[in-house]
Amino acid sequence: MGGSESTPQTKTPPAEFDKSWRETPWDKKELLEKELKELKLSDSKVKYIRILLAGEVGAGKSSFINSVNSVFQRRITTEALVDNAGASGISFTRTYSTYYIRNGQSVLPFVFNDIMGLESGESRGAHQEDIAKAVEGLLKEGHNFNPTASAKNDCKSETNLEDLTNCLVYVIAADKVSMMDDDVFRKMRYIRQKASSLGIPQAVIMTRVDEVCPLVKENLRHIYHSKKIKDKMQECSNSVGVPVSHIFPVKNYHEEIDTKNDMDVLILRALKHIVLTADDLVYRRKSGSEKC
């Protein structure tokens, strides 16, 4: 009597699922690596799967290329030069370049094309028409990006099997997706329409997962237990249009001086999906040309 009524306590929902919602072979790094090293493409006339990376400035496109190379080299590499672009907001990548993934002294049957980062505004970042030309395999190697003008003089009149893009991959930072300008997403959707019209498969590499979820920062194996990570994957899907089944959260090598199993497994798992999906396109193109 006379006491104040107790206020019901709002129960904070748990930050993670009881079980992982996507199976991850944490202990099968060697098998994943072996499968990619021994990959045989569906068309003997195609030497490399060509993967085009597109994304906002500072999302981690070049860092992802370096991370893939680091996995196979088993040491930290810097094939693609990177800068702390997030600090300046200006793309460090200025040239259209192809990066080969080494396996000892040989190279693996997939390559990456890196482009200037996307920015909001018509005169900033990579010109969307340049990326559309890259998707078609018409942009010349070494093209210097000019945000104010498309690459009319740096385009080939026709393409060949080696130059065709086999998969378009958007690189999006998990901790920045909510703050990305609508204009950047508009450019991504334009590029997506071009790729879709050509039947090119698409995927998302979601970087900086450790910056958005403390559970994952503490232990990378919590990545598919984390509700925050799944929410961010769904947000990427809603913004770009790529289904969640084609979105892969990873942690790029950044401050590490040695490679780590769990980081490698996430990178290899994403890469395997991308490469196999791209090879499906190689098969379809081969089958289509044989019918002609």
Side-chain angles (χ1 to χ4, degrees), residues 121-139:
E122 294 301 323
S123 60
R124 299 182 63 189
H127 198 289
Q128 63 186 25
E129 290 296 340
D130 286 3
I131 304 176
K133 292 298 182 185
V135 167
E136 295 178 274
L138 294 173
L139 197 62

Side-chain angles (χ1 to χ4, degrees), residues 71-274:
V71 172
F72 289 100
Q73 293 294 305
R74 303 198 174 195
R75 61 182 178 83
I76 303 301
T77 66
T78 53
E79 293 287 329
L81 295 179
V82 295
D83 188 33
N84 185 18
S88 63
I90 300 172
S91 180
F92 191 65
T93 302
R94 297 282 178 168
T95 305
Y96 183 66
S97 302
T98 299
Y99 292 93
Y100 298 85
I101 305 302
R102 289 193 290 146
N103 175 27
Q105 296 304 310
S106 62
V107 292
L108 295 172
F110 42 86
V111 299
F112 290 94
N113 279 111
D114 196 11
I115 61 172
M116 187 179 193
L118 294 169
E119 298 180 55
S120 62
E122 294 301 323
S123 60
R124 299 182 63 189
H127 198 289
Q128 63 186 25
E129 290 296 340
D130 286 3
I131 304 176
K133 292 298 182 185
V135 167
E136 295 178 274
L138 294 173
L139 197 62
K140 290 181 180 178
E141 180 79 11
H143 164 69
N144 291 313
F145 290 99
N146 180 358
T148 61
S150 61
K152 294 180 180 178
N153 296 326
D154 262 351
C155 288
K156 293 168 281 189
S157 58
E158 58 183 31
T159 189
N160 56 52
L161 282 175
E162 288 300 311
D163 296 328
L164 289 171
T165 294
N166 303 114
C167 189
L168 172 61
V169 176
Y170 309 95
V171 181
I172 300 176
D175 62 332
K176 296 179 180 178
V177 62
S178 298
M179 300 177 286
M180 285 173 63
D181 194 284
D182 287 341
D183 197 38
V184 173
F185 285 124
R186 179 187 62 77
K187 291 179 180 181
M188 283 187 176
R189 287 190 289 269
Y190 175 85
I191 299 160
R192 174 167 167 74
Q193 288 175 352
K194 171 61 71 173
S196 297
S197 70
L198 297 170
I200 296 171
Q202 294 147 65
V204 171
I205 291 293
M206 192 175 81
T207 60
R208 296 173 61 87
V209 292
D210 55 317
E211 297 298 325
V212 81
C213 179
L215 292 171
V216 174
K217 193 178 188 71
E218 179 184 338
N219 185 346
L220 203 54
R221 294 198 179 196
H222 287 157
I223 196 159
Y224 290 122
H225 286 269
S226 168
K227 292 187 176 182
K228 186 75 170 179
I229 295 298
K230 192 170 186 182
D231 287 346
K232 290 296 180 182
M233 291 170 69
Q234 187 62 60
E235 190 173 354
C236 287
S237 178
N238 295 342
S239 299
V240 182
V242 175
V244 171
S245 59
H246 288 63
I247 297 177
F248 301 92
V250 302
K251 183 179 186 298
N252 282 338
Y253 283 107
H254 171 61
E255 59 187 6
E256 297 79 9
I257 59 173
D258 297 298
T259 57
K260 296 183 177 181
N261 179 84
D262 292 353
M263 292 175 68
D264 288 356
V265 167
L266 288 177
I267 291 167
L268 288 168
R269 189 81 183 286
L271 182 61
K272 179 183 175 182
H273 174 92
I274 290 167

